[in-house]
Amino acid sequence: MILEQAILNIKPGQSDAFEKTFKEAQKIIASMKGYIRHDVLKCIEEEDKFVLLVEWETIEDHEVGFRKSKEYQQWKKLLHHFYDPFPLVQHYESIL
């Protein structure tokens, strides 16, 4: 299992719209091969900051299967205009 982590800095005043849109967009990612589960957490100290956590079976399921898919183009259209700056996405694996 690979954990994808992205810190999402949302443009000021756009958090409500982002949350609403993400509820639609999450259906896209949940339908992808290798997807296990995801969560989005809202920062308590910074109102326009979120963290996205997605569990994938393999890094290729995310980097190739999702990011090079036609579904990703819809994900991008729905969400990418909310970010400033564009999120750094990193992958983690358990050491236990």
Side-chain angles (χ1 to χ4, degrees):
M1 187 276 299
I2 298 295
L3 178 66
E4 169 198 353
Q5 179 241 317
I7 302 297
L8 309 177
N9 291 292
I10 305 303
K11 293 175 184 172
Q14 294 291 306
S15 287
D16 288 343
F18 166 75
E19 289 181 41
K20 181 180 177 185
T21 303
F22 193 89
K23 287 178 182 172
E24 178 183 344
Q26 70 183 347
K27 296 171 192 169
I28 297 169
I29 202 167
S31 72
M32 300 305 298
K33 177 189 174 295
Y35 165 88
I36 299 170
R37 65 176 293 285
H38 74 277
D39 199 1
V40 177
L41 304 147
K42 186 171 184 167
C43 183
I44 295 168
E45 293 81 12
E46 297 179 51
E47 71 176 275
D48 293 317
K49 188 174 191 177
F50 297 78
V51 64
L52 169 64
L53 303 170
V54 184
E55 291 179 14
W56 297 97
E57 289 179 17
T58 68
I59 195 168
E60 291 78 16
D61 287 330
H62 176 234
E63 294 277 302
V64 178
F66 178 55
R67 283 205 173 156
K68 296 190 186 264
S69 70
K70 63 180 172 77
E71 291 88 351
Y72 179 75
Q73 296 308 310
Q74 182 63 21
W75 171 272
K76 185 175 168 179
K77 182 179 176 183
L78 288 169
L79 297 173
H80 284 198
H81 66 279
F82 286 111
Y83 309 141
D84 186 26
F86 193 78
L88 172 65
V89 176
Q90 296 181 308
H91 300 90
Y92 297 84
E93 61 186 351
S94 178
I95 60 167
L96 300 179

